[in-house]
Amino acid sequence: MSDFERRTVDTLIGVAGELATRGWLRATSGNLSVKDPDSGRIYITRSGSDKQRLTPADVLTLSAEGNILAGVGKPSFETPVHLAIYRHTSSGAVFHVHTVYNNLVSRYADDMGVRFHDHEMLKALGHWQEDAAVTLPVVPNFAHIPQLAEAVAQAVNPRVPAVLLKKHGIYAFGETADAALRHLEAFEFLFEWLCLDRLSEAAARHPVTLS
Ligand SMILES: CSCCC(=O)C(=O)COP(=O)(O)O
Ligand SMILES: [Zn+2]
């Protein structure tokens, strides 16, 4: 095993454990991958694995085309989505999680996507200007994975490092695992803020009197 492989497996196990602890990978949901920029090989989590307790055996090695080069079992069911993101971006890592907040936001999003503006957290997505605005693409949750992968490929915007799937979850990506994680955390922060901001506005319109 090369140094890169060893470090990548450690990174995937570490990130999965951290995200699982936050409740972002419940019931074996979600999947994570890292791409070797030199060989084009992709390291991805095994389908159905418990992301809280990943071991090196839960990481499979794939060719850029998705053929299994090493590892036992099946790679993530959603591998074609990861491959599509790698094909259409310069990403080195793709992290997919299901959270209550990303599902809530996706439920109320329309086909134009979810627009975030006038928020400090946009800097974590690489948008530093004062009037920054980011529209997160949203795609239907097609059950047929090749169709889902194609929809994600069509939706990817090079200025926005994520795609949201309706009532399913988010795919966040970046040039490195650290960048993909930062983008994922920034979007999840914005989802929580959006939901709670709407809730607080609704509460303000319907004040409750305590007697
Ligand atoms: C209960 S998760 C359903 C499948 C899914 O959406 C997912 O993210 C996990 O799939 P995998 O094959 O990568 O375990
Ligand atoms: Zn999923």
Side-chain angles (χ1 to χ4, degrees):
M1 195 185 260
S2 71
D3 259 12
F4 180 88
E5 284 179 310
R6 230 184 307 276
R7 274 187 280 116
T8 297
V9 169
D10 283 353
T11 298
L12 288 171
I13 292 174
V15 171
E18 170 61 32
L19 300 182
T21 298
R22 295 182 201 175
W24 293 8
L25 294 165
R26 290 183 211 172
T28 76
S29 66
N31 31 72
L32 314 176
S33 73
V34 165
K35 180 175 148 184
D36 180 343
D38 296 326
S39 67
R41 288 180 173 196
I42 291 159
Y43 299 85
I44 193 160
T45 48
R46 191 169 55 75
S47 185
S49 52
D50 177 351
K51 285 36 178 221
Q52 182 86 71
R53 293 174 192 79
L54 281 191
T55 71
D58 293 316
V59 179
L60 283 82
T61 310
L62 309 180
S63 67
E65 297 74 35
N67 299 312
I68 301 175
L69 300 176
V72 176
K74 288 196 171 127
S76 170
F77 185 59
E78 296 172 2
T79 294
V81 181
H82 290 249
L83 299 180
I85 292 169
Y86 286 124
R87 262 199 307 275
H88 288 83
T89 68
S90 55
S91 297
V94 178
F95 297 156
H96 165 58
V97 301
H98 300 193
T99 69
V100 173
Y101 285 109
N102 69 35
N103 274 249
L104 278 171
V105 169
S106 79
R107 177 178 174 176
Y108 297 109
D110 61 26
D111 295 346
M112 305 300 288
V114 186
R115 187 168 183 273
F116 297 101
H117 63 100
D118 187 25
H119 205 295
E120 184 69 8
M121 192 54 88
L122 295 179
K123 290 179 182 165
L125 301 171
H127 295 265
W128 286 76
Q129 68 279 22
E130 202 171 296
D131 57 351
V134 162
T135 299
L136 173 65
V138 179
V139 304
N141 186 29
F142 296 113
H144 184 56
I145 295 297
Q147 190 182 6
L148 180 65
E150 182 52 32
V152 170
Q154 296 297 320
V156 162
N157 172 347
R159 293 184 62 251
V160 183
V163 174
L164 186 61
L165 314 186
K166 267 193 166 286
K167 288 196 272 178
H168 179 158
I170 188 172
Y171 275 88
F173 35 88
E175 301 264 335
T176 62
D178 284 350
L181 183 59
R182 184 175 70 250
H183 298 154
L184 177 63
E185 289 181 333
F187 276 114
E188 289 297 330
F189 177 97
L190 289 165
F191 295 149
E192 291 183 32
W193 173 80
L194 188 61
C195 290
L196 296 177
D197 183 58
R198 294 284 156 86
L199 199 60
S200 65
E201 275 183 10
R205 280 196 300 274
H206 303 284
V208 180
T209 46
L210 299 174
S211 54

